[in-house]
Amino acid sequence: MNRRKFLTLTTGGLIFAAGAGFAHRITRTPNTALDPWVQAGSLYKEPRMKALSYAILAPNPHNRQPWLIDLSSPQQVILMVDTAKLLPHTDPLNRQITIGLGCFLELMTIAAAQDGHRVDLTLFPEGEAAESLDGRPVAVATFVEDESTPKDPLFAQVLNRRSLKEPFDLQKNVADSVLQAATEASRHGTLSGASNTDESVARLRQLTHEAMIIEIQTPRTYKESVDLFRIGYKAVDKNPDGIDFTGPLMETLHITGQFSPSVALDTSSAAYKQGIDAVLKPIDTAMAHIWLVSRNNTRADQINAGRDWLRLNLTTAAAGVGIQPLSQALQEYPEMQNHYNQIHTLLAPAGGTVQMLARLGYAAAVPPSPRWPLTDKIIS
Ligand SMILES: Cc1cc2nc3c(=O)[nH]c(=O)nc-3n(C[C@H](O)[C@H](O)[C@H](O)COP(=O)(O)O)c2cc1C
């Protein structure tokens, strides 16, 4: 779901007799939810904390930020998943959550290298949870001071990286050279493909559009998103995660009762109908697509797909091109099976699992998305 522009309702007539207090409130932006983007790298000197202050900026499904961090062993980061932050309906196998954890580990590793530390990673030291993730460690990362560790040029993009959920400019094509750079970003064994041909763009626009409709029209998968709606700056500051809606229009609709989780769940409401249009429009403006495929689908493969996705996302940031994952057709629930099969036939004809699929194009820059402070994620 598009967190930044779920609704395109007009405010005309709403701000009747708006007093100064009202005007002040609707123009407020989150106070604290974006602080981690400003504080990254500067709050802590301790190498693990410094690297982790960047890692929490990693992309992750529905911005659930499902990471828990144990620092009780010197020089080690033990990463665990917060099982209260899984997405059982849209991500029943926890595949996407695991990809997000891979993004976190790659970002931590890139940030540590920038600070003269090598990170030795052991994935799932107590075994992989094949069925569903559990409380066992996802990774043990050992930080080793080693000035010969190569710095990664992608570090320069960490604070610029976004998932860009706005419609793209239909007049601006995505050059082959951009696609080539993005597909060459993988370092962890994930295969990458991309296309900007009219035929491919039309086919993938159609499949991703249909898949989004299925997700919205399946009550339990739609509700899973709506339950994570954070509407208005106060809600976003209180819970800096999930799907955030801020800005004057959202504040107004929220204050006047025209947009709330219960209104969004009411399929007869204007908000519901216009919300569907607003999430389909960006999908229909894809100017190119890119995808990651892994040969197998173990937890380690999913972590590696996440590591490669982070690199790909940083590479597109360097190229100044917008990117938005469109995961609906990759999701493993019965209503999506047909589209899942079609996407796999198209993008992984030789077999394997399509781990990520995204649209590319150009749009105006957007602010970063909210994050919980690092200290909220440290359990020991
Ligand atoms: C595995 C995975 C799946 C995702 N799927 C979607 C998606 O289907 N639609 C979407 O708009 N964003 C998707 N995202 C992007 C997240 O919503 C985004 O990373 C998160 O909201 C944080 O925002 P940021 O990437 O701009 O920091 C996905 C990200 C990951 C890692």
Side-chain angles (χ1 to χ4, degrees):
M1 304 293 291
N2 183 331
R3 65 172 180 264
R4 294 184 182 111
K5 224 178 208 175
F6 182 71
L7 296 180
T8 51
L9 297 179
T10 156
T11 50
L14 279 178
I15 315 180
F16 53 88
F22 185 85
H24 175 68
R25 190 172 157 196
I26 66 166
T27 53
R28 293 288 295 274
T29 51
N31 290 319
T32 53
L34 305 184
D35 285 355
W37 291 87
V38 180
Q39 295 164 346
S42 61
L43 271 192
Y44 308 103
K45 283 205 164 57
E46 200 276 326
R48 295 171 300 170
M49 289 294 279
K50 193 168 183 180
L52 287 166
S53 72
Y54 288 104
I56 58 169
L57 308 179
N60 66 98
H62 274 347
N63 205 12
R64 296 248 63 197
Q65 303 163 51
W67 25 81
L68 292 176
I69 299 155
D70 177 346
L71 296 174
S72 56
S73 305
Q75 274 89 51
Q76 286 194 333
V77 170
I78 303 174
L79 175 67
M80 280 159 300
V81 65
D82 184 344
T83 52
K85 300 209 180 290
L86 305 179
L87 296 162
H89 296 297
T90 52
D91 185 29
L93 309 182
N94 312 148
R95 182 186 58 80
Q96 297 184 77
I97 287 286
T98 310
I99 292 174
L101 294 166
C103 296
F104 179 99
L105 290 172
E106 183 70 5
L107 191 39
M108 183 182 76
T109 305
I110 291 174
Q114 195 69 19
D115 193 31
H117 285 75
R118 189 182 80 232
V119 173
D120 295 335
L121 272 185
T122 307
L123 296 180
F124 301 102
E126 294 174 24
E128 287 189 7
E131 294 296 313
S132 55
L133 293 173
D134 55 30
R136 283 178 286 171
V138 170
V140 174
T142 306
F143 279 53
V144 182
E145 193 171 352
D146 178 357
E147 284 301 335
S148 71
T149 309
K151 296 190 184 350
D152 195 321
L154 289 177
F155 178 77
Q157 302 305 326
V158 167
L159 299 180
N160 303 330
R161 187 207 58 77
R162 307 275 183 272
S163 303
L164 210 172
K165 309 188 179 204
E166 302 298 319
F168 292 145
D169 185 341
L170 292 169
Q171 307 307 319
K172 283 188 92 175
N173 293 321
V174 179
D176 290 351
S177 57
V178 170
L179 297 185
Q180 187 176 342
T183 52
E184 288 173 357
S186 284
R187 293 286 177 281
H188 302 285
T190 324
L191 307 170
S192 189
S195 179
N196 56 5
T197 66
D198 289 350
E199 189 191 351
S200 164
V201 167
R203 182 82 189 103
L204 286 169
R205 277 186 188 173
Q206 184 195 349
L207 277 175
T208 51
H209 177 118
E210 289 170 5
M212 178 59 89
I213 292 177
I214 293 170
E215 179 175 307
I216 294 175
Q217 291 185 345
T218 303
R220 69 184 187 288
T221 54
Y222 177 57
K223 185 168 184 301
E224 187 165 83
S225 291
V226 175
D227 286 346
L228 296 172
F229 281 8
R230 317 291 186 220
I231 306 172
Y233 75 93
K234 281 187 182 163
V236 172
D237 276 336
K238 193 166 171 218
N239 281 299
D241 58 16
I243 302 167
D244 58 298
F245 301 91
T246 54
L249 176 59
M250 292 303 153
E251 301 290 347
T252 306
L253 294 171
H254 179 50
I255 294 167
T256 55
Q258 295 187 72
F259 185 40
S260 66
S262 54
V263 171
L265 283 173
D266 175 359
T267 54
S268 66
S269 70
Y272 174 80
K273 294 191 181 97
Q274 294 187 45
I276 293 180
D277 290 345
V279 291
L280 292 178
K281 190 170 173 208
I283 292 174
D284 298 342
T285 64
M287 299 303 286
H289 293 89
I290 191 160
W291 52 91
L292 290 180
V293 176
S294 60
R295 288 187 191 84
N296 297 306
N297 193 20
T298 63
R299 293 288 175 208
D301 293 318
Q302 295 163 7
I303 291 283
N304 284 328
R307 298 187 73 178
D308 281 336
W309 177 256
L310 190 269
R311 303 190 67 80
L312 194 162
N313 199 170
L314 293 174
T315 305
T316 56
V321 64
I323 187 163
Q324 179 191 18
L326 296 173
S327 302
Q328 290 65 39
L330 314 183
Q331 292 170 351
E332 305 93 339
Y333 55 92
E335 293 85 344
M336 199 59 78
Q337 186 71 53
N338 184 333
H339 283 72
Y340 181 97
N341 292 345
Q342 289 188 60
I343 282 284
H344 279 77
T345 304
L346 202 61
L347 305 182
T353 300
V354 183
Q355 301 286 3
M356 293 297 291
L357 168 62
R359 70 184 180 104
L360 295 162
Y362 294 89
V366 292
S369 58
R371 290 295 187 280
W372 286 98
L374 171 56
T375 43
D376 278 66
K377 299 293 181 177
I378 296 178
I379 51 168
S380 177

